[in-house]
Amino acid sequence: MISTPDLASPRFKANPFPFYAGLRALSPVAHVTYCDGKPAWLLSRHADVAAALKDPRLGKDPYRVLSREERAAQVPWMPWFLRPLTQNMLDQDPPSHTRLRGLVQQAFTPQRIEDLRPRVEARCAELLAAARRRGAMDVVEDFALPVPLWVICELLGVPEADRRRFRAWTSRLTAIVGTRDMVLALPQLWAFMRYVRSLAKQRRGARGDDLITALLGAEEAGARLSEDELLAMIFLLLVAGHETTVNLIANGTLALLDHPEALERLRAEPALIKPAVEELLRFTSPVDTATERYTTEEYAVSGHVIPRGQRVLALLASANHDERVFAEPERLKLDREPNRHLALGVGIHYCLGAPLARLEAQAAFSALVRELPDLRLSVPREALRWKRSTILRSLEALPVEIPRASSGASRAARGAGSAAQPAPPAL
């Protein structure tokens, strides 16, 4: 095994890219003790990551792939009351995955998503108007979080009064790295599961015009969601439906502040918003590492053979900065073409909510550059802190100040003098 830093630590999350570059160059298939204390194989090159995400020899369901002894060595501990969550489609293989995805796709239609665009744009404008009146905001708490949280809660029919409580639960869940974190989070996880069960029960009794009701009514080849599958699906949509987009908006805003020339270009050329969002997905990689896969047989990759029954982690952020695929990967190039990033995955587990994430990000960044022309950090760049996480790359906060509107000339002068921020610190 090779020696690695704590890949979940806030210090590492601040700038993981130099370490990933070293892995790609020297150890593209690395056997490590992962930050949860269990062994894993890390894949860091774009070609290997893309192939792994599509290869059926890398299974998602450890209860199907591994023996009891192998599970004990490879799979993180989970309390009994969370076991229904293992029925979510992210952790399933065909044919179960095929059936579950077919069911949810009927309820998660492109038209349902596109119909949200005017409301998402209005929500963004409302949040930024409030920030402009205050003259400051935390981009995470006041903008990046409220937009996708509001959208997924609207889709699922989560009452307004419950939404902040729900955010606290998901934040604690995504910070779990090892068994100790899991034990400390048990009370909140228990409360979260009770809430998800009550939400499902309410919809069975009084259906409405929301995604949970649509899931209850969806059928694929005569099959419906079981109770555990419904709980797991609600849980997955609640968590995955906003956490990654929070990171995309917050981390993307920081990337634009770090690269003022790109920020000014997006402001001057608003038609660039779609390729710009794709580049921000690549550059910031809001999901740092794909969720676990397990070898169902010996798996040969880049001159290495990974034995059967091993945990494999595909490093999406590393793949998205692979110099073999992306020219000048550390450059934020808003019109990059082609842009074969893997930020949303690939293969049968490609992000179901990708159209929603793109819509939210397009609306958020368009509003941000239009409504807040003088946006700038209100703390030193090196003072920013990152959350501890195995999978995500998340800022704790992104405080900015918003000077009062002024003439274009003075804005340009201020932008040249203070909008630019130093590059992210090297580890």
Side-chain angles (χ1 to χ4, degrees):
M1 291 190 181
I2 69 167
S3 176
T4 65
D6 181 354
L7 302 183
S9 72
R11 182 171 181 269
F12 179 79
K13 293 293 183 180
N15 188 15
F17 303 108
F19 175 76
Y20 290 156
L23 280 184
R24 291 194 302 271
L26 302 174
S27 195
V29 182
H31 194 207
V32 305
T33 298
Y34 197 51
C35 41
D36 60 4
K38 295 180 179 292
W41 294 80
L42 305 181
L43 307 182
S44 53
R45 289 180 179 170
H46 187 283
D48 295 340
V49 169
L53 296 182
K54 294 182 287 188
D55 199 309
R57 293 174 296 171
L58 294 175
K60 291 291 294 173
D61 182 0
Y63 295 92
R64 181 186 67 87
V65 173
L66 306 181
S67 68
R68 180 177 297 180
E69 293 75 18
E70 288 170 334
R71 289 201 301 271
Q74 303 274 345
V75 181
W77 176 77
M78 178 180 289
W80 65 268
F81 64 84
L82 291 181
R83 294 290 167 81
L85 302 186
T86 63
Q87 299 300 307
N88 80 80
M89 66 181 179
L90 191 61
D91 293 330
Q92 296 293 306
D93 299 305
S96 295
H97 173 270
T98 308
R99 180 179 65 84
L100 290 171
R101 190 166 178 115
L103 284 166
V104 73
Q105 278 181 324
Q106 294 181 58
F108 214 74
T109 63
Q111 189 59 53
R112 182 189 285 266
I113 301 307
E114 186 58 34
D115 287 346
L116 288 168
R117 188 179 292 275
R119 297 171 65 197
V120 175
E121 291 173 344
R123 180 67 168 157
C124 289
E126 173 190 334
L127 292 167
L128 294 181
R132 193 166 51 244
R133 289 192 295 270
R134 294 192 304 271
M137 71 170 170
D138 172 4
V139 173
V140 175
E141 191 68 21
D142 299 327
F143 188 57
L145 169 62
V147 172
L149 181 62
W150 173 79
V151 170
I152 197 61
C153 287
E154 286 287 303
L155 280 172
L156 289 168
V158 176
E160 184 79 35
D162 294 340
R163 296 179 184 182
R164 282 291 164 179
R165 182 171 50 143
F166 152 69
R167 167 58 183 171
W169 288 328
T170 61
S171 183
R172 186 61 184 270
L173 175 70
T174 56
I176 293 173
V177 172
T179 300
R180 181 177 181 274
D181 297 324
M182 179 71 82
V183 170
L184 292 175
L186 286 180
Q188 291 187 10
L189 294 175
W190 174 261
F192 196 4
M193 282 303 294
R194 287 185 60 191
Y195 180 77
V196 172
R197 287 183 183 277
S198 70
L199 203 58
K201 184 177 180 179
Q202 289 170 19
R203 286 306 180 285
R204 288 190 187 279
R207 302 191 179 190
D209 183 23
D210 57 74
L211 194 51
I212 297 176
T213 297
L215 287 171
L216 286 167
E219 290 193 43
E220 178 73 9
R224 291 177 180 266
L225 293 168
S226 70
E227 182 70 19
D228 281 356
E229 288 170 345
L230 179 63
L231 292 175
M233 191 69 77
I234 295 171
F235 187 89
L236 178 64
L237 291 172
L238 282 170
V239 177
H242 83 281
E243 281 287 349
T244 54
T245 312
V246 173
N247 297 340
L248 171 57
I249 295 172
N251 300 359
T253 300
L254 177 59
L256 290 170
L257 292 172
D258 281 339
H259 298 81
E261 72 291 343
L263 178 60
E264 288 304 320
R265 186 178 181 193
L266 185 56
R267 184 173 292 127
E269 301 177 52
L272 272 179
I273 189 60
K274 288 186 177 181
V277 166
E278 299 308 309
E279 176 67 348
L280 289 167
L281 277 163
R282 181 199 71 83
F283 190 82
T284 67
S285 294
V287 179
D288 193 21
T289 305
T291 51
E292 295 95 338
R293 283 158 171 79
Y294 300 90
T295 52
T296 62
E297 58 184 77
E298 284 191 346
Y299 184 72
V301 53
S302 287
H304 294 74
V305 176
I306 302 177
R308 194 203 72 81
Q310 298 288 298
R311 181 168 60 151
V312 176
L313 296 170
L315 301 176
L316 301 178
S318 177
N320 286 339
H321 284 250
D322 191 339
E323 50 285 321
R324 295 162 187 78
V325 176
F326 304 101
E328 299 180 282
E330 304 311 317
R331 178 185 171 200
L332 183 64
K333 186 179 179 183
L334 299 185
D335 58 354
R336 185 178 294 274
E337 182 63 38
N339 192 344
R340 296 188 293 116
H341 71 77
L342 302 175
L344 299 169
V346 69
I348 64 171
H349 290 284
Y350 179 76
C351 178
L352 180 70
L356 178 58
R358 287 185 166 107
L359 183 154
E360 292 167 339
Q362 290 164 14
F365 289 119
S366 292
L368 198 70
V369 300
R370 181 181 65 249
E371 302 294 335
L372 304 181
D374 294 308
L375 190 71
R376 60 195 184 196
L377 284 177
S378 58
V379 299
R381 177 62 169 76
E382 61 272 16
L384 297 176
R385 296 291 176 261
W386 297 78
K387 293 182 180 180
R388 182 170 177 79
S389 175
T390 54
I391 301 298
L392 303 176
R393 184 165 180 258
S394 313
L395 281 161
E396 290 275 5
L398 183 59
V400 296
E401 59 185 53
I402 307 159
R404 299 296 180 187
S406 56
S407 70
S410 63
R411 281 204 302 271
R414 277 207 308 276
S418 61
Q421 303 296 332
L427 292 181

